[in-house]
Amino acid sequence: MSGAARNGTTQYVWGYLREYEAERDDVLAAVDAVFGSGQLVLGPAVAGFEEAFAAWHGVAHCVGVDNGTNALVLGLRALGIGAGDEVITVSNTAAPTVVAIDQVGATPVFVDVHEDTYLMDVGQVEAAITPRTRALLPVHLYGQCVDLEALTAVADRHGLPILEDCAQAHGARRNGVLAGTTGRAAAFSFYPTKVLGAYGDAGAVLTSDPEVDANLRRLRYYGMEKVYHVVSTPGYNSRIDEVQAAILTRKLTRLDDYVAGRRAIAARYAEALGGTGLVLPALAPGNDHVYYVYVVRHPLREKVVEGMREHGVQLNISYPWPVHRQTGFAHLGLGEGSLPVTERLAGEIFSLPMYPSLTVGEQDHVIESLLDVLDRL
Ligand SMILES: *Cc1c(COP(=O)(O)O)cnc(C)c1O
């Protein structure tokens, strides 16, 4: 690596800056078109992006919103979920998954994850269902899909809707089926570091259900259908920005390339680091991973992270604290040991640098440093 990454953020900033260098003309053309259009909010760029993103997935409707967290919040609201309801999800996720459930007044109910894929253990879901359960919220974490065939069978048996958290899984497939096309609705984030990232905050919800689509459009627009008349509450202002929609429409045409770039880096890591004692990402059968994060595992994580820092490589941990053990969720009353696999993983996982513009030289530096650190443990 030509310069030492000081922290994970720095690495991500590099990724974004390199992408901007390569795509600058296209991005600025999108911005210029919006600024000159005379329509800065809910104009043609938003409609165009919604149509393109829905079509890319082969789903009837897409509603652009202001970020991925609110995509989940509005998704839950659009399914009629609120105070007193329970939503089954996982604790091994980005906190916003759970923040969104809390935000609508519902209670998150956690099941543990698989030791090998780090994804929702669908086999535990049925036992977690109570008379108050109103939805299942699987998270396609790190870029790999949850077993939605099995989860759909459970959901159908109990008449429960599935809301997919696709914030880390743009373009991921399971048995050929794209993430975001199975559930009643699916929430996406376009936070800049995501596989499909905006130049600021943005999000979207996909659905094939016209009623859910209508609910979402009202919810993001104060609860209005026509201007100045609120027809339902609660209402939010959760619109995707016209500029971000225009940029995303152009970037969507390159989504396959971004994924291919990530997969190539993942393949190099896997080839170089197999047999080292590092637990590499496990692919569930039928899954096409998009490697939003390349998560590995080692029982002596702190030593590995420290050793890598000495080599000038700052490693991220996604995520160091399971959500149910975070201070803000203490009221859930879930003590240590309540989700044993999730808790064990949180102490051992870490991520290797991963973004499409990471150079081969940088990948080599990461690999050689890691081999050296592991060798000296
Ligand atoms: C990023 C992320 C979110 C939240 O998206 P924002 O756009 O940052 O609000 C939600 N869930 C998961 C799994 C994420 O990775």
Side-chain angles (χ1 to χ4, degrees):
M1 207 170 285
S2 53
R6 258 166 249 105
N7 55 53
T9 307
T10 309
Q11 292 174 357
Y12 287 132
V13 167
W14 287 357
Y16 136 72
L17 285 177
R18 283 190 191 147
E19 181 193 278
Y20 185 51
E21 217 172 288
E23 302 182 2
R24 190 169 186 269
D25 290 348
D26 196 41
V27 170
L28 291 184
V31 173
D32 189 54
V34 170
F35 285 5
S37 73
Q39 281 179 279
L40 297 177
V41 176
L42 290 189
V46 168
F49 174 67
E50 290 176 340
E51 199 182 318
F53 200 64
W56 198 87
H57 288 88
V59 162
H61 309 284
C62 170
V63 179
V65 296
D66 50 351
N67 58 62
T69 307
N70 285 340
L72 290 162
V73 169
L74 268 58
L76 289 165
R77 286 282 187 212
L79 296 173
I81 289 148
D85 297 338
E86 291 177 358
V87 176
I88 298 176
T89 191
V90 288
S91 177
N92 184 41
T93 183
T97 306
V98 186
V99 169
I101 295 170
D102 179 76
Q103 175 70 40
V104 304
T107 302
V109 174
F110 300 112
V111 294
D112 216 338
V113 294
H114 285 291
E115 183 106 34
D116 53 352
T117 59
Y118 317 139
L119 297 172
M120 173 182 263
D121 183 348
V122 174
Q124 296 186 16
V125 170
E126 199 137 34
I129 293 174
T130 76
R132 285 164 49 167
T133 307
R134 291 287 175 274
L136 309 179
L137 207 171
V139 183
H140 305 312
L141 200 69
Y142 307 141
Q144 177 172 206
C145 293
V146 169
D147 181 354
L148 285 186
E149 293 99 328
L151 192 67
T152 301
V154 175
D156 290 350
R157 263 201 302 282
H158 295 268
L160 295 168
I162 292 175
L163 173 61
E164 297 176 61
D165 184 339
C166 297
Q168 304 194 355
H170 315 71
R173 288 173 189 267
R174 184 180 166 83
N175 295 325
V177 178
L178 273 169
T181 63
T182 300
R184 182 80 53 84
F188 286 82
S189 164
F190 306 115
Y191 181 82
T193 65
K194 307 283 181 178
V195 178
L196 179 61
Y199 280 69
D201 278 311
V205 189
L206 290 180
T207 183
S208 294
D209 183 328
E211 192 184 325
V212 174
D213 173 59
N215 290 347
L216 289 165
R217 287 179 190 285
R218 245 186 355 262
L219 282 158
R220 76 164 173 192
Y221 189 59
Y222 318 115
M224 293 178 183
E225 278 169 3
K226 295 192 187 112
V227 281
Y228 305 140
H229 188 85
V230 172
V231 294
S232 64
T233 58
Y236 299 81
N237 176 355
S238 252
R239 302 176 294 238
I240 189 174
D241 193 87
E242 191 77 355
V243 169
Q244 300 302 345
I247 293 170
L248 285 166
T249 303
R250 288 165 184 251
K251 287 192 65 176
L252 181 60
T253 63
R254 298 187 283 272
L255 176 52
D256 288 332
D257 297 337
Y258 301 143
V259 170
R262 288 173 181 273
R263 284 192 182 134
I265 296 167
R268 284 202 81 223
Y269 282 156
E271 196 190 322
L273 300 169
T276 56
L278 201 63
V279 181
L280 301 177
L283 208 57
N287 262 350
D288 293 327
H289 207 308
V290 295
Y291 298 101
Y292 170 59
V293 207
Y294 192 89
V295 174
V296 296
R297 215 181 142 186
H298 198 285
L300 301 177
R301 177 185 64 197
E302 310 316 324
K303 283 195 171 151
V304 176
V305 169
E306 178 53 32
M308 289 298 279
R309 192 177 298 127
E310 283 163 15
H311 279 278
V313 182
Q314 176 70 39
L315 299 176
N316 278 332
I317 298 172
S318 304
Y319 298 90
W321 301 285
V323 179
H324 72 286
R325 300 293 297 145
Q326 296 180 19
T327 312
F329 289 104
H331 61 275
L332 297 174
L334 297 169
E336 203 176 328
S338 43
L339 295 164
V341 179
T342 296
E343 290 165 33
R344 191 159 60 246
L345 290 174
E348 297 186 357
I349 54 176
F350 57 98
S351 323
L352 304 189
M354 170 59 81
Y355 51 87
S357 59
L358 196 70
T359 66
V360 170
E362 287 162 350
Q363 296 165 36
D364 287 341
H365 180 66
V366 171
I367 290 166
E368 283 155 22
S369 305
L370 204 45
L371 290 174
D372 177 60
V373 169
L374 291 169
D375 203 41
R376 289 189 292 110
L377 278 179

